[in-house]
Amino acid sequence: MLNFDEERFRKIQGGAVALAEPIRETVGELLDGGAENVYFLGAGGAGVLMLPAAQLLQRRSAFPMQLVHAAEIVLTDSAALGANSIVVIPSLSGTTKESVAVMEFAQAKGAKVIALTGHEDTPVAQGADVNFTNFAADDTSSESFYLQSLLIALAILDARGELDGDGDGGGYDAIVQELALLPDALVEVKRGFEDRAASLAEAYKDEPYHIIVGGGSAWAEAWYYGTCILEEMQWIRTRPVHASDFFHGTLELVEQGVSVLLLKSEDEARALADRVESFVPTVTDKLEVVDPASFELPGVSKGVRALITPVLLAAVLERLSAHLEVLRDHPLTTRRYYRRVEY
């Protein structure tokens, strides 16, 4: 596969899954200690990657949850954030300005901060009440953060007796056993997508604009891939739109020649994407659908597949990115303005 280190990828995703037990222990201790709510307070793309876990709690648990922009809550506050709050802060670098600020803000209010970082010797990792470091880089961090935040959500459900064994694939331990299959399985999924990634990159290399649609657990990756990869790393204009909102405005922008990338999910919201998939070909011939249901995952149950939609999408879209940067002669690390903005 183009520009891909298989063993490095396996190690990073295996490292994320290996945090299952320490995450469960930490979450259990905090809940036993009187925790009354959980806040996911990430900055930028790392914050978006927390969305599927937050959605899972919203749908399956009565435990209060909030997902808020880190920079905004520091300025606006939140009445429920306090001594009985769990705050989850993802930061790959561990140095992001907004992440440091929100950590200090939350701790000043008495909250307990769990940090998910890619580097241990950093302000966020060192300042958090509990830190989990799993080394990753830009090309591997999405799957890692999706998995770690999923484990936090599952640990909360588990501690509260809210895990539905039939719907989720089993209890916490059973789900983790299936997640442990992913480092190897995702490599094979990537391998199977490689030819299509190359074809998509050829079609997209000169495309100036994409509407990227997703619903349910696919929405986070639609937003993330459009904003943090195509816009930030390739300078390609995108319009991420939730499948629920597509027919309330965005459909009027679709005409012949307009590119639409549809990311489907395997959860209850899949019907939202089905509706978009039925309509778009009637007005443009540039619809591409990425459906995780088409990927083979031996040993992974239907319930767990529904939980890992964003992981699967991130894994295959990374292959598209690898080919795009070569065809466009635009490395994913190239930036224009970072040196002009204080982070």
Side-chain angles (χ1 to χ4, degrees):
M1 287 184 277
L2 181 67
N3 294 340
F4 181 62
D5 186 332
E6 295 185 16
E7 290 310 310
R8 173 172 164 270
F9 178 82
R10 287 188 178 94
K11 182 177 180 181
I12 289 169
Q13 307 317 324
V17 176
L19 293 172
E21 193 53 37
I23 283 175
R24 177 160 67 171
E25 291 176 359
T26 296
V27 168
E29 289 172 1
L30 291 173
L31 291 177
D32 288 343
E36 297 177 350
N37 55 43
V38 60
Y39 281 74
F40 292 91
L41 300 179
V48 174
L49 298 174
M50 302 294 103
L51 178 56
Q55 290 175 324
L56 180 63
L57 288 174
Q58 178 187 27
R59 295 165 182 168
R60 309 276 182 94
S61 179
F63 193 67
M65 176 283 305
Q66 294 198 43
L67 179 113
V68 188
H69 290 291
E72 184 172 21
I73 197 172
V74 171
L75 299 176
T76 62
D77 202 358
S78 175
L81 178 62
N84 292 322
S85 298
I86 301 170
V87 169
V88 180
I89 300 178
S91 176
L92 181 62
S93 69
T95 62
T96 309
K97 177 183 177 181
E98 293 91 341
S99 298
V100 174
V102 80
M103 176 182 69
E104 294 173 348
F105 172 78
Q107 289 176 326
K109 299 194 73 173
K112 298 298 183 184
V113 172
I114 298 175
L116 307 176
T117 60
H119 303 276
E120 192 168 16
D121 188 19
T122 58
V124 174
Q126 296 296 317
D129 295 284
V130 180
N131 172 64
F132 297 110
T133 293
N134 183 48
F135 169 78
D138 285 342
D139 61 338
T140 53
S141 63
S142 296
E143 298 96 326
S144 177
F145 276 142
Y146 280 139
L147 287 169
Q148 291 175 68
S149 57
L150 171 61
L151 289 168
I152 289 174
L154 290 172
I156 292 173
L157 291 170
D158 178 58
R160 291 172 50 83
E162 293 172 323
L163 264 182
D164 176 3
D166 293 332
D168 298 309
Y172 190 87
D173 291 329
I175 294 172
V176 170
Q177 285 181 357
E178 293 189 34
L179 296 180
L181 301 173
L182 290 183
D184 289 331
L186 289 175
V187 169
E188 295 310 311
V189 168
K190 284 175 177 282
R191 199 186 314 281
F193 195 78
E194 188 73 2
D195 288 345
R196 186 173 180 208
S199 176
L200 277 175
E202 185 65 38
Y204 280 1
K205 64 182 176 65
D206 298 317
E207 197 70 47
Y209 163 62
H210 302 277
I211 294 172
I212 305 180
V213 186
S217 56
W219 167 234
E221 187 60 21
W223 192 101
Y224 182 89
Y225 192 72
T227 303
C228 297
I229 307 299
L230 294 185
E231 291 183 356
E232 179 181 333
M233 299 183 182
Q234 287 293 293
W235 307 349
I236 295 173
R237 292 175 176 84
T238 72
R239 166 68 161 95
V241 58
H242 196 285
S244 294
D245 297 326
F246 181 84
F247 291 96
H248 298 274
T250 304
L251 81 166
E252 295 294 340
L253 298 178
V254 184
E255 58 187 2
Q256 197 60 245
V258 172
S259 172
V260 179
L261 174 61
L262 175 62
L263 307 182
K264 303 190 76 169
S265 67
E266 294 189 67
D267 60 11
E268 300 88 342
R270 184 179 174 90
L272 299 174
D274 290 340
R275 186 182 178 204
V276 175
E277 186 176 13
S278 296
F279 170 78
V280 171
T282 69
V283 289
T284 182
D285 60 351
K286 290 187 176 181
L287 170 67
E288 293 289 347
V289 180
V290 180
D291 185 358
S294 66
F295 306 146
E296 294 186 9
L297 290 175
V300 180
S301 64
K302 180 179 179 181
V304 172
R305 289 187 68 111
L307 297 174
I308 60 170
T309 283
V311 179
L312 293 168
L313 291 172
V316 297
L317 291 176
E318 181 275 328
R319 292 289 76 219
L320 171 58
S321 305
H323 285 272
L324 271 178
E325 69 171 341
V326 172
L327 291 179
R328 303 184 76 245
D329 192 24
H330 186 130
L332 295 166
T333 53
T334 299
R335 304 288 189 276
R336 281 194 285 204
Y337 303 125
Y338 273 20
R339 293 182 183 275
R340 294 172 51 186
V341 181
E342 180 184 0
Y343 279 85

